[in-house]
Amino acid sequence: MASTEEDFPRGGIEKKPAETKTLEERREVDNLFQSHEQPETKKRKGASKEDSTTAKKKKKSASDPVTLNAPAKYVEILHLKNIKEGMLMLACVKEVADFDVVMSLPCGLLGFLQIKSISDGYTKLLGEQLRSQGTEEISSLDRVFRPGMLLRCVVLKLDITKGGALSIKLSINPKLLNKALRPGTLRPGMTLSGCVESVEDHGYLVDIGVGETKAFLPRQVATDQNPNPEELRAGQTITCRVDEVKGSGRVVRLSVNPLALARTFADASHDWSLTSLQPGLLVRAKVTTVTKHGLLLSFLSFSGQVDFLHMEPEEVSTYTVGQEVQACVLYIEPVTRLVALSLRRHLLAPGTLVDLAPAGGGDRIGEVVDGCRVTSMHSMSGALLELPDRTRAFVHKNHLKEMAQTSAVDKLLALPELSCRILNFSAMEQVHFASLRKSVRDKVHFRYEDIQVGEVVMGTVSELLGHGMMVLLSGNLKGLVPKTHLSDILLRNPEKKYSEGMKIKCRVLSVEADKRRVTLTRKKALLNSTLPVVSSYAAARPGLVAHGFVVSIKSFGCIVRFYNEVKGLVPLRELSTEPLASPEEVFYVGQVVKVKVLECEPEKERLLLSFKAVVEGDTADKGTAAPRVLMEVGQRCEARLVTKSAVCLEVAILPEEVPALLPTMHLSDHVSNCALLWEALEEGDVISNLVCLSTSKESITLTQKPLVRWGLEEGLFVKGFSDLVVGMTLVGWIKKLMPYGVFVEFPCGIMGLAPKSALCDRFVTDTASAYQLGQTVVAMVTTFDEEKQRFLVTLKGSEVTGPEGGAQALLLRGLRERRGAEEVLAGREGSGVRQELLELTVGQKLTLAVEEALEEGGATFKSDELTGVAIAASKPHVLGVTLTPGQKVTAVVLQVDLLSARVHVSVLPKLLAKKKSLEAGSLLAVMVQHVDQAFAVVAFESCARLAVVHAGCHINAVFSEAGHLKPGSALSVTVTDPACAELRGLPLLRVEADPSRHPAPRTATTSESEASPGHAYGETLEGAVRSVKPMCVLVALDGGGTGSVHVSQMADAVAVGSFPTALLEAGARVRARVIGGREATSHRFLPFSHPNFKYSIPELTLVPSKLDDDVKLNPVKPREKLGSLKAGQQVTCFVSKYNPERKCLEVSTDPSLNGTIDLLDLVKDPKEASHPEKLYKSGLAVRATVVEASSKPYRFSLSVNGLQQLEVGVVTLGMVTKIEPGRGLLVRLPANAKGTVSMTQLTDCYRKDPLKAFSKNQVLRCFLLETKDGKWELSLRQSRVAPDLAPAVKDPEVLSTDALKPGKLIRGYVMSAGDQGVLVRLSESITGRALLHKATKFSVSPKVLSQHLPSSTLLTTSIISVDPETQLVELSLLTQDTRKSDVVPEALGLALRAPEEQKGELAARMKRTAAMMETMAEIKSKKMKMKKKSLQPVQETQSGPDVYFREGEEEEEEEEKKKERPKKVKAVVTVDKKKKKRKAKKGRPEDSDSGVEVSGREEETTTTKQVKPDPSGPARLQVSAGFSWDLGLNSLRPAAVDPRAPQDGDSSAGEESEETDKPQKKSKQQQEQEQKEEEKALSRREVQLMEPGLRPQDAASFERLLLASPNSSLLWLQYMANHLQATQIEQARSVAERALKTISFREEQEKLNVWVALLNLENMYGSEESLKKVFERAQTFCEPMPVYQQLADIYARSNKMKEAESLYRTMVKRFRQQKGSWLSYGGFLLQQGQSDAASALLQRALQSLPSTDSVELISKFAQLEYQYGDTERGRAMLDKILGTYPKRTDLWSVFMDLTIKHGSQKDVRELFDRVIHLSVPVKKVKFFFKRYLDYEKKHGTAESVQTVKEKALEFVEAKGTQAAC
């Protein structure tokens, strides 16, 4: 207790009166929340006037000093709110403009001195000068004022600006400054402010503003005191001293000597009053109070204050009470009668100029400074900061926090570093003013200097003027948009387009920062321009193309202006390609033009420009390259989801991570599925089957709509308006719904209008009732206007041909999408309800209980199996059924909504009847029961079966929205499949169209051809071309129906490289013959002779030679055509499309024959392999060579490059199929050949990690070296592939060991590093070895060496020796041999390898080899002995049966030994051979065995064998089959050797054996001795069995113990370990299964221990499948989270890092609401050195977990950083938390513990110093002081301990009695 009292004095024991007063005053000042207003004392009722008067008199004491103003209660700086009109203050000239002067006021404020507020004389002088017509120079403000001048000012007016800010208007008129003075109050020695009124012969008349007083400044005095008297002129303001007063103050004489003014102080003889006191007056004052916020002074008869900003920084701590100082009056507040003084030296010297820039120089205004720290906090004013360069900065209290935030003083004090932005430099205080607001720091534009010419900025319309528009950019920054730049054309009424407050985008034309002028433009052509910005003449180099605007039109040309007033001339000859007589008729002022720079002379500021060069197309700028288009429209890709929003998904196209957009409406053709698919996607998911929809400079748009993808692949899109053709069919989607029609958007951003009359075959009253936004449609172009770039389309089903498959394909595709999304949602964590809903199907019957019968009809139900699901039946589905609450009913499922967890059911009896079977092809009537947007549930009238149909029979129809398909509607359907697997057993139906309602739509499945009569083979038909595609032409036949013409049937001879279908146009009349038919569903060509032929679409030919009716057409089967083709034959084929997945070009030779061209047979240059589709467009005619043609199996391969022969020395193309780290590449060659490239054949110059330069599917040039085992060995060396172009070879090939000479340096790749040294690959067939002592100079273990020399590491080696016979190459990696640094870094601090260690290594290796040879020889000799022993003859004493049975037993024993060989069996040593001989001499029988007796063999025999006990330990109990509770005491025998007991001997000692078999009589003493030994042995055995740490050694012992403790997981695990030691894996598994069944279900932790052991077992000895099964079972019986964590730890311990990381990822997805999963994953990542991944994981965790867990989570991650990662990062994380929560003392304690453990003493002490200054309860601070002192006592010195005690004492004194408690 005494030591505690010494370390932490309670304070208040002995205090002096003066100290008590000081502490009370300081406490009053320091208290941030105390109200400083005195409480009002209520007058006691009935108190007399005399009482109150007496009380007032008592308050005033005679000893109190007499002052004209009361002393301030606290010291604070001047705030804007305290400034009042009439207030006097000292100011400094900051800037001088034409009509006003910007003044720097105290505390960083700004004021404005207008030209009319200087003096009456100056105003009169200006008026005379302006009225005069002479050449007299006007006295401008810059001649009167100089920056840095100190002036006395008065606040004239406080104006409110338009933006709501306060503007301070000042005046220096002497009449206002000195209005409190009278002639009689003037005294010699006073200093006043005056203005030169006129210049006389002998001096100057000065207006001092005092009544009728005339003030005169003699010229002689002014000349002597001022070396430049001509500088005094009329209107000039001066500070002067009164030297003489005459005539009762009516006449005074002045002087302006600067030295005299600096020595003139106000004294009592001047009779200054509070109203007449002047700013700038020098006074002598005495310090009365010292506070940390400033000083309180007394001077003359006044009291004043000095804030901390006006104290000299070096002398702040030196001021004491009673000290006399020289001060300057700074300002006087007339209301509060407060006089503020300054002690700054630059203000104590009148007449000198104040520095307007900091002493260090440099303009830092606007700079964002990091690494600042708070040096002092002043509650009523702000905070002082110390910048990194040791300069000071002040932050006003309003800038310590954001506007809407509360006070953050504690947070600021807790932060070690801050970031601020410098706002201004105050000349009065000579200090920077800064802001800590994040909104201020993040401003892009803070000053006019920050605005860049040509930059696009956002602004707000501030004011509309006659000459333009003012735009507010940021803060106080404004810009002007001239009237000519408000739009591309001149606006007559700008107010109709712009209004105040409107947000607009502008481009900066010019910036004049010194004049604070910014010129902007709103011209759209300039805003959207991507051409270079010409902001200077130097930037306008010849050949540059840029945008400008015309500013003047002359007869000789046009003048064009760019940015920053850069101008150029376009001469008349360069205006146009045609001569112009008058340029003003073609161009106008303000017109934006594109020009090209022809000539430039920057020094003369001359530019010669041209319009003509741009028009002629010569616009390419060498310095600028067009943006590269990463994707082409129609190109397939896959992307990773980055972020989700309601209308769009931001994705990254793989593998280049190119950003792109995937609109939500483009997730599916079915609008109803888009929301479900959006919900199923999560950030990080990879989305496949995406197609590029459109590209722009800003973004790439993708789509997942299957029909849009189909349209892109079929060529049903156009890239521009010029490609449109009337009658063309396009696939698009609804973009906008209007009353007069709908806008349909197509790929490449093309948009057309479908009028209201072209929407549907029936009349549509409302477009919203027929179509939805985002709906996929098929449209046909009807008309287009080239001039207006507009076109119309029709969506009528009777006029538009739909996609293949019709409504059935739409139905199956939509339900497949919906099912996939539902499975994803149901598979997430916490989706038990969704999993139950996923199992429900349409038509399934449920047993439900009625919950409520609704009044409006319908009912709700509940189910015990479906908890949390809303089950309802609509009114039509309960008609005729009486329902009461609680009633049990059977209902049939109509629809399941997974997102809303809602099930629609029906209880109609007709739907619950027994189901009847359906037949395929039958036409039946159905009735609609339920409609779900695009899908409808129908019921057969003839049988109680349900089915799902598409709501429309055409893609363009949405009948559910239009009201044509609603519950109760009757339809006719045809059964296609009675039990469709994709519909989960429901029948697949085709809805038959109702001709009475609407015409049959034109689709591929229900085309006109089915209704029309079939056409005969060879029949001649006529028709009109309906549409032209690259691979076919569709013909509208005259008799009805549509025919198809393949691209190969266009002409007899087709030119290679042409597009045959391009010869026809839509609408052209053609004559064709039928050559076959095409299936509508698959578009597969079938001849008429095909047995499964079903007429759909006739296949036609337009070949002229086949159109003659006399020519007989013989149908040929595809197999026959394929069989007629031979390898090497030349054929003409037509490109269908390029398949990027298979890396081949799909081609077609005729309608029935399709083939492929492999990529390696398609290109000749690897560069062409990146985009072969650009070379081979769809429909292109190509000449190719047949490579392979066979019908069984079907293979038709072709080659553009001809048949390639692979031979040694040939250079061919190859494709990388696999990259094998450490080995090389696997390459696919033409003709399906394979090859390998070793590491040494990749390049002529080896490099680190050479495989990084290659990727899968990369096409390369390969050189064929040789073939081995059917594989080619390849080389990619440039010297092999292109020897003429190859540079010098740095690493030549090593073909044989003859090229290797000792001492030669050679490079190679590491194969492995281990006990044998380092193996280095020198070539494919030659490998070198560097022994350990030749690999490094350090004594290093093989493990460390392998860590620093991983596989494929490039090394420089020196050859030591070469053995040609064994091909062994000995190498050296030592520095002295290779002249390279050592392979092991010195930073590891390893010891050097000693020479003896090298010799010892060789000797040890030789010793191991000799020992191995000796062991092998010994094993061989033992085998020979055993063989001889088995062949020995049977001795006479042994009978035949005995030998027979003994041999059988020995064989069985040998077999048992072989089975149990891995088991660790304890051997008991009996006697040595030498001891046996000595004992034999004494007449004792000896054992002739090998001297070692295995106890395992004893367990197998029936008799107990006794051995001699070890004299050093107790006698062992020999138990034949383990311990058993049933055995008696007599069965236990000590292991001592009885001299009369028989020993196992050899069969040759027959007689001795017979003698020893006879029982010998024991004496009584021996029997008693044996009994005592048996009792002692039994006691010892019982003690051993009672020991808790005793581990059983056999199965029987385990079983006995498990009977007593069946729930002990430790015992079960020991039992499993016992089996595993004997490699009995199955037995260990069975023990684990027994444990899981035996342990009580209440013992969850015990069961978990067994599951973990079983997981360990399967991980070590099982397979992946067995481990997975155990893992799934463990999750079922235990909490899943601990099971995940345990398996992840098992993976990590067994170095299965990929599996561990994969499991951790799954764990954080499934258990994202649990902190433990995130922490476990974070610890794993940090242990692997993945700090960045751990940081990203922390951000994900913060988003997933509740905000209440954020602090704990971040602190835990910080602790993990300290433990496994970067301590600095952990420190930064804790700093950030404590900056937000500075009062969390528990976090401070954790921070201390970690810093003490991992940090330096300096860090610990800095942390303690921060903690003891926290604003927390005193008891907690005392706790931290105690820890601080304990730390210093343990780790510090006596001085540091004393320092802590002093800090504690200061704390106690500061807190007073509160700390003493």
Side-chain angles (χ1 to χ4, degrees), residues 146-181:
R146 287 180 295 170
M149 289 179 59
L150 289 175
L151 298 176
R152 302 178 181 183
C153 305
V154 60
V155 178
L156 185 64
K157 187 179 180 183
L158 297 177
D159 283 346
I160 304 298
T161 62
K162 194 171 184 179
L166 189 65
S167 177
I168 305 174
K169 305 297 183 183
L170 303 176
S171 175
I172 59 172
N173 195 330
K175 289 184 172 57
L176 297 177
L177 286 173
N178 303 326
K179 67 178 181 178
L181 294 176

Side-chain angles (χ1 to χ4, degrees), residues 730-986:
L730 302 174
V731 179
W733 58 94
I734 304 299
K735 182 66 175 179
K736 193 174 184 181
L737 298 174
M738 302 299 291
Y740 50 84
V742 298
F743 284 95
V744 183
E745 188 176 0
F746 303 97
C748 302
I750 299 174
M751 190 177 299
L753 173 66
K756 202 172 183 179
S757 59
L759 293 181
C760 191
D761 292 303
R762 54 181 174 78
F763 178 72
V764 176
T765 57
D766 185 13
T767 56
S769 65
Y771 290 98
Q772 294 176 285
L773 289 177
Q775 178 184 348
T776 306
V777 294
V778 179
M780 186 178 71
V781 180
T782 56
T783 58
F784 65 92
D785 188 345
E786 293 184 2
E787 184 176 351
K788 295 183 179 180
Q789 299 282 298
R790 299 175 182 174
F791 68 98
L792 301 179
V793 297
T794 179
L795 303 181
K796 291 184 178 181
S798 59
E799 298 180 1
V800 177
T801 302
E804 56 181 279
Q808 290 183 352
L810 290 173
L811 173 68
L812 295 176
R813 192 183 304 117
L815 293 179
R816 194 182 303 118
E817 289 176 348
R818 180 172 291 189
R819 181 68 179 177
E822 289 175 346
E823 289 178 352
V824 172
L825 290 174
R828 292 181 182 171
E829 180 186 0
S831 303
V833 175
R834 291 179 176 176
Q835 291 177 357
E836 295 174 354
L837 292 177
L838 189 64
E839 300 299 326
L840 298 180
T841 59
V842 175
Q844 182 178 344
K845 295 181 180 179
L846 301 175
T847 302
L848 307 173
V850 179
E851 185 177 21
E852 181 183 2
L854 304 178
E855 295 180 359
E856 64 274 9
T860 59
F861 305 88
K862 59 183 178 179
S863 173
D864 296 336
E865 298 178 356
L866 300 175
T867 57
V869 179
I871 307 174
S874 59
K875 182 178 180 180
H877 289 282
V878 296
L879 289 177
V881 181
T882 304
L883 299 175
T884 58
Q887 177 184 352
K888 295 289 184 179
V889 296
T890 302
V892 63
V893 177
L894 298 179
Q895 189 237 341
V896 179
D897 191 345
L898 203 71
L899 285 180
S900 61
R902 188 175 183 85
V903 179
H904 296 273
V905 297
S906 175
V907 294
L908 296 179
K910 64 179 181 180
L911 300 182
L912 297 173
K914 187 176 181 181
K915 297 180 180 179
K916 297 181 181 180
S917 60
L918 298 174
E919 294 183 2
S922 57
L923 181 64
L924 301 172
V926 296
M927 181 176 290
V928 178
Q929 301 295 330
H930 182 79
V931 179
D932 176 24
Q933 295 187 1
F935 307 102
V937 179
V938 298
F940 291 91
E941 296 182 359
S942 58
C943 59
R945 296 193 64 174
L946 299 181
V948 181
V949 298
H950 200 267
C953 57
H954 193 271
I955 182 64
N956 291 359
V958 183
F959 295 101
S960 61
E961 297 287 340
H964 285 270
L965 199 62
K966 56 185 178 181
S969 302
L971 300 174
S972 296
V973 297
T974 300
V975 179
T976 304
D977 187 354
C980 181
E982 292 195 49
L983 296 180
R984 304 176 72 179
L986 296 177

